[in-house]
Each structure stands twice: as C-alpha cells, then as structure tokens.
Amino acid sequence: MHTSLSPQAPGSRIPAASAGGFQRGSLTFRPQLSRNRWNAVLTGLAGLATTIAVLPLVLVLAYVLIKGGSLISFSLLTQLPPAPGLEGGGIGNAIVGTLLVTAIAALIAIPVGVGGGIYLAEYSSGGSFASFVRFGTNVLAGVPSIICGVFVYGLIVSTRIFFGQSYSAMAGGIALAVLMIPTVIKTTDEGLKLVPQELRLGALGVGASKMVTITHITLPAAFSPIATGIVLGIARAAGETAPLIFTALFSPFWPEGVFNPIATMSVLIYNFAIMPYQAQISLAWAASFVLVLMILAANLLARWLSQLARA
Amino acid sequence: MTSSSPTTSASSSSQSDICLSLENVGISYGTNEAVRNVFMDIPKGQVTAFIGPSGCGKSTVLRALNRMNDLIEGCTLKGRVLFHGQDLYARDVDAVEVRRRIGMVFQKPNPFPKSIYENIAFGARINGYKGDMDELVERSLRKAAIWDETKDKLKQSGCALSGGQQQRLCIARTVAIEPEVILMDEPCSALDPISTLKIEEMIHELKKSYTIVIVTHNMQQAVRVSDMTGFFNVQAKADIDGKVGCLEEFAPTEQIFNAPSQQATQDYVSGRFG
C-alpha cells in the first residue's frame, strides 16, 4: 500500500511531496518563507507597541519614586504645609482630607451602587427601565470628572445647601460619589449575573423568600467581584482632582469638620506643583508619591479580593 | 382549604389519599404552549415518576407543583393544581409558603457555597426552626445517607464534595425543612451508577414519610423507585404548527411497564419509540 513513501532513516529530512494539487513543502522550518518573515515582522511590531504602552506606567512610577520617595519622613505625614517662603512642613492635613472625602464618597456610593446593581440584576426583568438605567450608567461612567465637579458645584456649593456653607468636604465627597456610583452599579450587576441560576432556585426550593435569597445566598456568592469593583472605584475616586477643586476647595489647616473646605492630596499637588517655592514643589512630589502608593495598595487589595473567589 | 371542588370525583372520593391533584392543567411559555390537558391525582406517601421523551413537559409540570415556574418570565398556567384540595395558584396563596411545604431537588447538584452544616441549617433557620440545629443537621444527613461521609467535615464547603455527594447534600437540605412533598427533577442524570443507586435506596427510605414526585429519563429507574408512573408524550398540535406535551397515560408503574393501555406507552417503554 505504501509504495510512494520509501522507508526513511530516523532523523532524516522528510522529502517534499505533492498531493491533491497542493505543493507540499518539506517539514523543516524555513525562515525565508514569506509567511515566516511576516510572522517575525508582526510579532516585532506587537512587541514594540506593548513596550511603548507600558513605558509611561514604568516611567511615571519611577519618576514619582525618585522625586518624591526621598522626601518621605515622619514629619511629612504629620505636619501642616508651611506658609509660602518657609521651609519644612508636611502634608498631614491633605492625607487626612483625602481619607475623609473618599470615605464620605464610599459611604454614599456603596449603598446606592450596590442597591442599584441588585435592582438591575435581581428585580428588574430586563424591561425598558432597566436598559435605560444600564445605558445611563455607561454614559455616567464616561462623563468627564470635571463635569461631575461642576454639577455638584451648581447643586450644593453655589446654593449653600448645607448650613449655609459653600465649599465643603461633604460636597467633595458627593462629587466623588457621583464618579464612583457607575463603577459600583456595573460591577454589582455583573457580579450578580455571574451567580449560577441554580443557586437561586436552590434557595427558593427550600422556602427562602426573594429577599433572603439575595441577602444570604446571591450577594455572598458575588462578594468578591462586588468588593473588587468597590475598591477599584474608591481607588479611582481618591486620585481625582477636577471634581474637588471647586467642591472641597483647599485648606492649609487641619480639617474643621465635613461642612468646611478641606485639603486633599490631589488638589495639594495641583496647587503646590506650580508654585515658585521649592518647599511647596517638594511637598507636591511627596504627596504624589503617597497618593500613588495608596492607589497601588488599593489595586493590590482589589486583586487579592478577586482571587478570593477562585480560592 | 376553601377552594376544594366538590365536583371532582377524585377529590371527593379519596380526599385523604390524594396529595396533589392536577385538573386540566396547561402551561405556556409566552405564546408557546408547552403542555396541555393534564389531569392527574398524585397519591400521598408514594413515589410518582414522570417519564417521556425530551420536550414533553415533564419538568414543566413538576415545576408547576411548587410554583417554581413563577420565576420563568412569561410562564402562565391554566387549570388548577390542588394541594390537599387547596388551589396553589389562587390569588391569596404565598409561593414561598408553598415551597416550604413542597421542596425541590434539581437536576444539577446546587449546594450553597457554604459549609455542609450551613447548607442544611440555612433552610431550617429561614423556616423558623427553633430546635437543636446540630441534631437536625445529623438527622437530615442520615436520612439522605450521607452522614457517614460528611460527619467529620461538617465545616468544609459543600462544593468540595463529589457530584453524587453534593446531590445527596441537596436532598438532605430539602429533607431538613420537613416538607410534605419532595419534587426531584432528574436527580441522577449527572451522577454515576453507584451514586444513582444510593439515591434510589434513599428514595425508598424517604417515601415512608414523604410524598415524592420524580422526573426521570431512565425507565429502569422509574420501575425501581416508583409506585405510580405518568407517561408524557409530544403531540402535534391540531390547529397550528408545533408540538405540545400531554399526559398520555397515568397508572400504577407495574401496569405502565407491563400492560399499558395506550399503544404510544407500549412503544416508549419497550424502546420502539419514534
């Protein structure tokens, strides 16, 4: 039967053969073939594009580390910024302010966002209202952050709605919450949709009501993606500057409550980096470093939370 | 207990022996009719099996018995489903309460992502169980013939068990809420023969205290476990194109498999279908 193939010694080259009108080449790899040359060229291009894409990330981290990392000291974290022209000082008030404003934002965005996500995934039955909310969420996620700021400025700051106070930590927190809510809604919605329908049926099959099913079975099963989304939302909001410039404003003093202007790290960087004083410029770099570290830590936390699901 | 119908001969003659009674039940998904004209009296304390080809509406009818179909968008039911004479689809009936009395085991094992202990305790707790939880967990796991395999690892996740063990855990979970009826939707279709055998042995034990309705594709299983068998078949619709399920024959299992009254049943149980 196998007359066309003469027996080959092991390891020898398999000869070219033609079958059914196709030119069959030898099995040996030949780099000069045009397909192999294109392959090499395109692989190289893809590698180059990837390198250019990660370069900013590496450079930003390295630059902030070099410029700001050397300034880290205990007094930096605990002291107020100096008056213009003086030396030393720290960014203690801005760190406290960022934590406070972000906490206010999280306290608003988490209940609203998780609640909205639960509605979309569990209660809405894919009607026009639900698709409108989903569409609106996507649009809101893409709205430039400065527009969230100007919205809260018009709604809260200029109307002096909180006890006659204009700029306040509360207004800043609300502006950041507006930024966070779409992320939290989307991750909650998608996290809940990943929960197998069988689990819901199982809970209902042992006589659980819908509320008990959601609170005891579905939400715990989707804890990891929801928590990841919340942490990423917080990390994004904590670094925002534009919505805070004209809501939380800035303060060179320690926070005086949530209804007064407050310093935040991002606005401190914005204010200090372009000042003509070396002390302020150094503080801006130090604040950049601390802010990058905080956001990095939040992202690592999010990664850890998302791996909980697989464990 | 007000809506029992005195005109139904079955419910008036042997009210105490009939657990679930279907009166001219028809179920549609949207505009698509899945099953129609089902009349059936499911006896109390026995095992009733539903057999038939795919798409004949067995599972649909089973899910109608504890209002699981409520969760499917656009699913509507005509006719009446009576549970001890009470219409389950009456306006004032709470579906959650129905499912506490009529529990369900699903085709795919679906333990909660919690510990084995919590899998059992969850249903009991939400049903307001006040007794000794440890004792209930042990009793339920024993009834489902899985106590020996799990007694040393009650704190481990239910999802870490094998498929057959998971399914028995799900049965234990259902038994724990002490329902009157247990519905099983192809409980062994995802299991190996040994696990299947264990579950069948368990069904024999469980029928002493519960009414069991089981959907199965395995005719030998129906012969082994059931007292009554309902054979569902698909019919071409007379009016428009399409197929609809119907109950072809409902009789004692022995009769269905040995001397069925319908030719279609004879063909199906003897493997000459189609």
Side-chain angles (χ1 to χ4, degrees):
Chain A
M1 289 301 289
H2 300 284
T3 49
S4 62
L5 285 176
S6 54
Q8 297 282 322
S12 74
R13 285 177 55 143
I14 299 162
S18 69
F22 288 103
Q23 197 63 44
R24 298 273 188 236
S26 131
L27 290 181
T28 316
F29 180 77
R30 282 180 295 164
Q32 71 273 23
L33 276 183
S34 84
R35 65 160 187 257
N36 290 338
R37 269 194 235 127
W38 275 112
N39 200 5
V41 169
L42 291 177
T43 307
L45 279 177
L48 187 66
T50 314
T51 313
I52 294 171
V54 291
L55 209 56
L57 173 72
V58 176
L59 287 182
V60 165
L61 282 178
Y63 203 61
V64 168
L65 202 83
I66 293 162
K67 292 279 254 181
S70 58
L71 303 168
I72 292 299
S73 65
F74 184 69
S75 62
L76 179 90
L77 304 177
T78 53
Q79 289 184 2
L80 288 175
L86 297 182
E87 291 297 311
I91 54 167
N93 61 338
I95 294 174
V96 174
T98 291
L99 293 177
L100 182 65
V101 171
T102 313
I104 293 171
L107 284 179
I108 300 170
I110 292 171
V112 173
V114 171
I118 290 174
Y119 170 78
L120 286 180
E122 302 285 335
Y123 284 95
S124 77
S125 41
S128 55
F129 180 67
S131 45
F132 167 73
V133 173
R134 283 206 181 94
F135 178 71
T137 307
N138 282 333
V139 173
L140 191 59
V143 164
S145 57
I146 196 159
I147 292 175
C148 291
V150 91
F151 161 71
V152 172
Y153 176 82
L155 197 74
I156 290 168
V157 178
S158 68
T159 57
R160 294 175 172 268
I161 204 164
F162 290 125
F163 313 113
Q165 299 281 4
S166 57
Y167 299 103
S168 64
M170 184 55 98
I174 292 171
L176 293 188
V178 173
L179 281 174
M180 280 176 66
I181 283 173
T183 321
V184 179
I185 289 186
K186 260 201 322 204
T187 47
T188 306
D189 183 19
E190 279 156 21
L192 288 175
K193 275 198 241 155
L194 287 180
V195 176
Q197 186 66 14
E198 286 86 18
L199 273 187
R200 291 189 188 91
L201 292 178
L204 293 164
V206 294
S209 64
K210 187 152 191 171
M211 205 263 295
V212 170
T213 304
I214 291 170
T215 53
H216 285 69
I217 301 294
T218 336
L219 270 185
F223 169 79
S224 168
I226 294 173
T228 308
I230 289 171
V231 171
L232 288 178
I234 289 174
R236 190 207 151 180
E240 281 291 346
T241 318
L244 293 177
I245 294 172
F246 43 167
T247 52
L249 204 68
F250 188 68
S251 156
F253 311 112
W254 289 102
E256 296 158 15
V258 294
F259 296 113
N260 283 305
I262 197 168
T264 53
M265 276 193 278
S266 52
V267 177
L268 180 139
I269 296 165
Y270 170 77
N271 285 345
F272 283 10
I274 50 176
M275 276 192 174
Y277 304 106
Q278 189 52 45
Q280 264 75 5
I281 294 174
S282 302
L283 284 182
W285 280 112
S288 309
F289 177 74
V290 174
L291 193 57
V292 164
L293 276 195
M294 279 168 71
I295 291 170
L296 196 68
N299 276 279
L300 289 176
L301 178 66
R303 272 181 69 99
W304 178 72
L305 283 171
S306 70
Q307 273 166 352
L308 278 186
R310 271 166 262 150
Chain B
M1 304 291 167
T2 51
S3 56
S4 89
S5 154
T7 54
T8 315
S9 58
S11 58
S12 58
S13 63
S14 53
Q15 182 83 57
S16 57
D17 299 324
I18 302 300
C19 179
L20 282 153
S21 175
L22 291 87
E23 294 179 356
N24 198 14
V25 168
I27 302 167
S28 307
Y29 296 114
T31 55
N32 181 25
E33 194 176 20
V35 63
R36 63 158 68 144
N37 298 345
V38 177
F39 288 87
M40 189 186 263
D41 286 327
I42 294 169
K44 191 168 183 240
Q46 296 192 3
V47 179
T48 301
F50 291 177
I51 60 168
S54 294
C56 65
K58 314 179 289 290
S59 295
T60 302
V61 170
L62 189 79
R63 284 199 302 265
L65 298 181
N66 74 341
R67 295 196 45 176
M68 252 337 168
N69 282 333
D70 289 12
L71 309 172
I72 298 170
E73 201 67 22
C75 183
T76 52
L77 181 134
K78 288 182 296 186
R80 302 208 301 164
V81 180
L82 302 178
F83 178 54
H84 295 307
Q86 189 178 13
D87 187 354
L88 291 182
Y89 286 81
R91 210 173 272 276
D92 58 348
V93 167
D94 182 0
V96 171
E97 204 56 48
V98 169
R99 295 185 202 118
R100 291 180 177 190
R101 308 270 293 274
I102 307 177
M104 186 151 193
V105 176
F106 299 85
Q107 180 169 2
K108 212 173 126 197
N110 56 351
F112 303 130
K114 299 168 180 282
S115 69
I116 292 170
Y117 185 96
E118 276 302 312
N119 260 282
I120 308 287
F122 172 73
R125 206 175 285 138
I126 61 170
N127 279 278
Y129 181 72
K130 291 279 186 293
D132 183 352
M133 191 60 83
D134 292 353
E135 191 258 319
L136 177 78
V137 168
E138 178 175 345
R139 179 153 40 95
S140 307
L141 288 170
R142 277 191 196 283
K143 276 190 192 169
I146 193 181
W147 171 250
D148 291 335
E149 292 151 82
T150 55
K151 63 184 173 194
D152 299 324
K153 45 181 181 178
L154 293 176
K155 291 277 167 280
Q156 285 183 23
S157 168
C159 301
L161 296 172
S162 76
Q165 290 173 328
Q166 285 188 12
Q167 191 64 299
R168 276 178 284 146
L169 177 64
C170 291
I171 294 172
R173 179 176 83 184
T174 307
V175 167
I177 62 168
E178 295 288 340
E180 289 165 51
V181 184
I182 300 177
L183 308 177
M184 299 186 181
D185 189 355
E186 296 183 45
C188 303
S189 68
L191 306 184
D192 68 291
I194 294 173
S195 302
T196 302
L197 193 70
K198 282 187 179 158
I199 288 185
E200 287 178 8
E201 282 169 0
M202 193 183 71
I203 290 172
H204 278 294
E205 278 302 307
L206 289 177
K207 82 174 192 187
K208 291 171 188 163
S209 25
Y210 306 94
T211 303
I212 294 171
V213 185
I214 179 170
V215 166
T216 178
H217 267 294
N218 182 333
M219 283 183 273
Q220 280 67 44
Q221 183 170 60
V223 173
R224 287 191 298 259
V225 301
S226 72
D227 305 298
M228 297 288 288
T229 297
F231 170 59
F232 286 78
N233 202 355
V234 279
Q235 278 183 338
K237 283 182 195 170
D239 38 354
I240 46 166
D241 271 359
K243 300 211 164 173
V244 62
C246 64
L247 179 62
E248 193 84 33
E249 190 169 352
F250 182 55
T253 301
E254 217 164 279
Q255 188 184 327
I256 288 276
F257 283 92
N258 293 325
S261 62
Q262 303 286 323
Q263 186 59 41
T265 315
Q266 176 72 48
D267 290 350
Y268 187 77
V269 299
S270 59
R272 272 188 278 122
F273 193 75

